[in-house]
Amino acid sequence: MTKIMMITKEGEAFLARIQEISGEAITACDQCGTCSGSCPMASEMDITPSEMIRKTQMGQQDVLSTKAMWLCAACFACTVRCPRGIDLSKIAEALRQISLRQAVDHIDIAGIPAPERARLPQIALVGAMRKFTS
Amino acid sequence: MKPTTQTKKRRSTKRDDSPQPVHARSSRTMFPYYPGCTLKTTAQNFEDSALATAAILGIDLVEIPRWNCCGVVSSLVENDRMHHVAPLRNIIRTQEMIAERGGEIESRLVTLCSMCTNTLRRTNLFLKENPEDLEAINDYMSLEDNYEGGVEIVHFLEILRERGFDAVTNKVSNPLEGLNAAAYYGCMLLRPKDIGIDDPEDPTIQENLISALGAAVIDTPYKKMCCGSYQTVQDRYAVAELAYDILTHAQREGAEVIITACPLCAFNLDDRQKEVRERHPDFRSIPVLYFTQLMALAFGLGEDALGFELNSVDPRPLLMAKGLLAPR
Ligand code: SF4
Ligand code: SF4
Ligand code: SF4
Ligand code: SF4
């Protein structure tokens, strides 16, 4: 049985944009699920990493309002295991960039309660600022 | 890109006794060294223990002048030249130091923090593989010398492996007999593959060190799993759940201490035990040490090198009870 899925014009443009920012061959994903099975943050995510790439493949822009892309810790567990050689960490970064390039920050470092902020080492703060702020 | 090639997998966690040239062990070697910012603050005990143990092994780590933060994480965007500038400045500082000191210093930059290692290596590899980008960035950084591509970035653990872990054992005056230690790698030492310092699925470098120090190696499947990294800033309880899994799996295998090479892993696994206890009242705390602190202990070094007062879970009661640390 052949199943035909439709992708809209805007969807195609969205896919092309994410492909361009990430440099990854997003359409090569065959949904094996290895990334989701390797992801340490998957249990906290609203959609799994393999759903994240599937939605992107299909040009579904609502992927941008999921929590998942912000929960990726760029740990590269999926990167080293994907049988299709796709680096999903770069796709999650590209999705975050769509929002960050509009100068919309994901977190407010100044809003972290002072005692907690004082506890956090630079390495955590600088890393979070790089990934979550524009 | 890997300075040392592993021809075969070492399943055994016994000492690495590959033959080493004698001169490498007998004379002192000087390396340029990049500390990164966290080793000057919350992880000062990482730097102190590393410099002291390196000196005992005949390795002098010379801090490069005017270094800057590498940015912690690499940009994962295609051709994002701008974010290579901060790591590259440090590589150029290294190139200058090598030129000034002629043949007396190695042309490899030694790092300790896993995240700095990863970020500097990714930039170095990117620039070596993409001459056009290197040229563009060199032109952009008009006040700096051009980077010629001759610097290598090596983690201190790789230097230990290359010189042979026997050289470490030779300096042990306080063998860590009866101590069960588990190695934790996290991500940045191992992944991506072309950046990592060991086999990404079956690393042994820290296990070989643990054995060389006389402690027992505890293996745990969670040693390569991410601790949540910078997610600790936006959701500390999500990170605490990861820490709970990592720590309790090691404990179940019998671990009494865990070693790491990353100040962020250390924060998430050590300091976040406070949050772990809030969520899991049955959790028993476990000390998390830098691998260099374990070395300093086995080398019989004093408090200045050990720096245990900066560890969140104090390892001293356990070590005293085991007769590995003199009571004060
Ligand atoms: S591991 Fe690779 S191929 Fe498999 S679902 Fe994930 S991205 Fe797709
Ligand atoms: S890089 Fe991101 S998506 Fe991939 S396994 Fe790690 S946290 Fe999950
Ligand atoms: S990664 Fe960290 S420790 Fe390394 S230099 Fe940057 S903030 Fe500092
Ligand atoms: S384990 Fe955690 S902090 Fe350590 S390198 Fe990985 S993400 Fe980083």
Side-chain angles (χ1 to χ4, degrees):
Chain A
M1 182 186 73
T2 316
K3 213 170 169 183
I4 298 173
M5 308 269 256
M6 298 299 286
I7 173 165
T8 62
K9 272 268 171 304
E10 301 88 83
E12 249 171 56
F14 175 68
L15 168 62
R17 179 109 181 89
I18 301 301
Q19 216 138 235
E20 187 200 335
I21 300 175
S22 68
E24 290 299 299
I26 298 173
T27 49
C29 167
D30 60 10
Q31 287 291 293
C32 71
T34 304
C35 48
S36 300
S38 307
C39 180
M41 301 304 292
S43 60
E44 304 284 333
M45 290 175 176
D46 45 359
I47 60 168
T48 61
S50 47
E51 285 172 306
M52 195 189 329
I53 188 166
R54 184 61 175 154
K55 278 186 164 296
T56 311
Q57 257 181 353
M58 296 305 297
Q60 294 171 3
Q61 299 191 46
D62 61 350
V63 67
L64 293 173
S65 51
T66 62
K67 273 168 61 188
M69 65 189 204
W70 297 110
L71 283 168
C72 167
C75 77
F76 313 128
C78 54
T79 311
V80 295
R81 288 190 182 158
C82 173
R84 305 304 304 258
I86 299 165
D87 189 343
L88 186 51
S89 73
K90 292 188 175 173
I91 296 163
E93 181 107 330
L95 296 171
R96 290 188 295 267
Q97 283 296 318
I98 296 288
S99 168
L100 297 176
R101 287 179 185 186
Q102 310 291 316
V104 180
D105 288 352
H106 176 62
I107 56 166
D108 172 23
I109 299 274
I112 299 170
E116 172 64 13
R117 210 170 53 226
R119 249 178 100 193
L120 289 166
Q122 287 112 310
I123 191 169
L125 289 168
V126 176
M129 285 191 276
R130 286 288 311 279
K131 292 296 182 190
F132 299 144
T133 65
S134 52
Chain B
M1 167 64 199
K2 273 197 179 183
T4 51
T5 47
Q6 286 179 299
T7 42
K8 61 175 175 359
K9 268 193 195 173
R10 280 191 306 272
R11 287 246 159 233
S12 136
T13 50
K14 286 269 160 342
R15 283 205 309 271
D16 178 357
D17 39 28
S18 49
Q20 291 295 314
V22 178
H23 64 83
R25 274 184 265 170
S26 52
S27 58
R28 295 197 78 77
T29 319
M30 219 190 277
F31 284 93
Y33 156 62
Y34 175 73
C37 16
T38 309
L39 271 75
K40 297 293 182 185
T41 55
T42 58
Q44 184 65 58
N45 50 354
F46 191 5
E47 174 170 72
D48 291 345
S49 53
L51 296 184
T53 50
I56 287 182
L57 293 166
I59 302 167
D60 295 317
L61 299 178
V62 187
E63 189 171 316
I64 55 171
R66 296 189 297 126
W67 56 266
N68 53 270
C69 175
C70 63
V72 183
V73 287
S74 291
S75 168
L76 301 173
V77 167
E78 189 73 353
N79 293 327
D80 182 351
R81 289 173 176 166
M82 186 53 84
H83 285 108
H84 289 295
V85 169
L88 178 57
R89 273 191 88 248
N90 296 309
I91 297 172
I92 292 174
R93 294 285 87 77
T94 311
Q95 178 179 279
E96 287 164 1
M97 182 184 254
I98 295 164
E100 275 163 25
R101 302 217 179 198
E104 72 179 55
I105 197 159
E106 283 255 358
S107 59
R108 296 184 291 171
L109 176 66
V110 171
T111 50
L112 290 164
C113 165
S114 311
M115 299 200 80
C116 307
T117 309
N118 198 290
T119 301
L120 293 169
R121 270 167 110 117
R122 271 185 101 129
T123 288
N124 205 26
L125 182 64
F126 173 78
L127 296 176
K128 286 182 185 186
E129 286 181 348
N130 298 283
E132 266 179 40
D133 293 281
L134 174 60
E135 199 186 324
I137 300 177
N138 273 336
D139 286 348
Y140 171 77
M141 296 170 80
S142 53
L143 298 178
E144 304 279 3
D145 288 347
N146 283 349
Y147 176 47
E148 310 287 352
V151 176
E152 249 187 81
I153 318 292
V154 283
H155 193 271
F156 184 49
L157 279 167
E158 292 176 286
I159 301 291
L160 299 179
R161 175 174 61 196
E162 152 187 318
R163 296 162 73 101
F165 287 105
D166 276 350
V168 172
T169 302
N170 287 341
K171 300 293 179 190
V172 170
S173 59
N174 179 32
L176 305 179
E177 275 155 24
L179 183 69
N180 292 343
Y184 177 72
Y185 291 86
C187 327
M188 299 300 153
L189 282 182
L190 303 175
R191 300 187 288 269
K193 210 179 161 98
D194 52 359
I195 296 299
I197 69 165
D198 206 345
D199 185 323
E201 296 292 356
D202 187 21
T204 52
I205 191 164
Q206 289 193 101
E207 281 80 354
N208 290 334
L209 176 66
I210 292 172
S211 304
L213 301 174
V217 174
I218 300 295
D219 200 23
T220 150
Y222 279 65
K223 65 186 177 187
K224 303 163 296 178
M225 193 182 83
C226 176
C227 65
S229 190
Y230 50 78
Q231 295 291 347
T232 203
V233 174
Q234 73 162 334
D235 190 346
R236 56 195 164 127
Y237 289 104
V239 166
E241 288 306 322
L242 294 173
Y244 177 74
D245 284 342
I246 293 163
L247 298 171
T248 53
H249 274 82
Q251 285 174 318
R252 233 169 276 164
E253 303 298 327
E256 296 163 310
V257 295
I258 293 180
I259 59 165
T260 171
C262 175
L264 186 48
C265 307
F267 179 76
N268 287 343
L269 297 183
D270 187 8
D271 295 60
R272 287 284 182 238
Q273 287 187 35
K274 185 172 158 276
E275 279 79 7
V276 172
R277 275 192 301 275
E278 282 174 38
R279 291 289 163 98
H280 302 275
D282 58 324
F283 174 73
R284 289 174 294 120
S285 61
I286 175 168
V288 178
L289 312 184
Y290 292 110
F291 70 94
T292 47
Q293 289 183 293
L294 203 66
M295 288 172 71
L297 180 69
F299 288 3
L301 299 181
E303 276 174 39
D304 286 354
L306 292 168
F308 287 143
E309 67 284 349
L310 278 180
N311 293 62
S312 179
V313 175
D314 190 347
R316 287 171 289 196
L318 169 83
L319 300 174
M320 285 176 193
K322 295 210 162 254
L324 298 172
L325 187 68
R328 283 174 309 163

